[in-house]
Amino acid sequence: MNRRNLTIDTELVLLGFSNVLITNIFLSFIFSLIYIVTIFGNCFILCIVFINARLHIPMYFFISILSLVDLCNISSAVPKLLMDLFSGHPTISLFGCAIQIYVLLLIGSTECLLLAVMAYDRYLAICHPLHYPVLMKWSVCYGLTAFVCIFSLVTVILPSLAMPLKLCYPNQINHFMCEVLVVIKLACSDTSDNEIVIFAMSFLSLFFPFVLILVSYVCIISTVLKIRTAGRSKAFSTCTSHITVVALYFGTGMVTYLGPSSDVSSNQEKYVSIFYVIISPMLNPLIYSLNNREVKKNVSNFIFKLNSRQI
């Protein structure tokens, strides 16, 4: 087997965004800045929740889990993207590509289900406040978290492992990472069964949680409208951040996985995936910090204590 065929059998070429050096330098600066802000923001949320006993409640427990998931989400793609932007021939091994696909699928499914669990938590807190301490006790929180992880593993990873793909010419991916919908276009054989499995996976891990979230917020809005004006404003403010995250993450995810597929170009998948893999993990801590009075209050107290110690 000659070197050319060996390379095609063991590596895939990531076309990325551009071959122009100036453009790649600019993109590397932007993505580096986003990555730094994401790491700092999510780690800061984790620290604030960990050190403050007042935030040791189910709501902030799930926010902490979301921050961990976001850190894994952006780290699964951006470090490799930054290296490729400076590479003259960005490639990824078949093994590395498979690992990236499985990690992205697992993290994506986990985040969708976690957002549904967070919506359920807000539903109980607003619609059943008197029963909330019993219905959402710590054993239930841990059980829901374990369910999210196990369900994601069973519905996403196991079906993918059971249906491996044999890739053919060309060995180029019009993407900056290994996205399953793009890689499947390189398959030699018929992929109709794989597409059915992907649709079923997307329904269970994307559309089904989205429906649960909608039902939760219909109940929340119905309950909030019965509250007095002052209490109504406070209740709505606690849900604003969650609705923003859901709209951004599920909207872009459903466009990619439940929208019409394109056999000609994967430009749509490439640019839309930036939002749920890179932008959303950066915005989540900012959204929760800016729209959450308790978090802002604790951040202010934390900064005040640091200044006091310096003085």
Side-chain angles (χ1 to χ4, degrees), residues 284-299:
N284 284 352
L286 298 177
I287 290 171
Y288 283 117
S289 299
L290 293 175
N291 287 351
N292 194 294
R293 298 176 183 176
E294 194 68 26
V295 171
K296 288 191 291 186
K297 180 180 178 180
N298 282 278
V299 170

Side-chain angles (χ1 to χ4, degrees), residues 106-127:
L106 180 61
I107 292 174
S109 176
T110 300
E111 181 150 353
C112 290
L113 292 170
L114 181 60
L115 291 172
V117 169
M118 294 173 69
Y120 175 68
D121 173 70
R122 291 299 84 208
Y123 160 74
L124 292 180
I126 295 174
C127 299

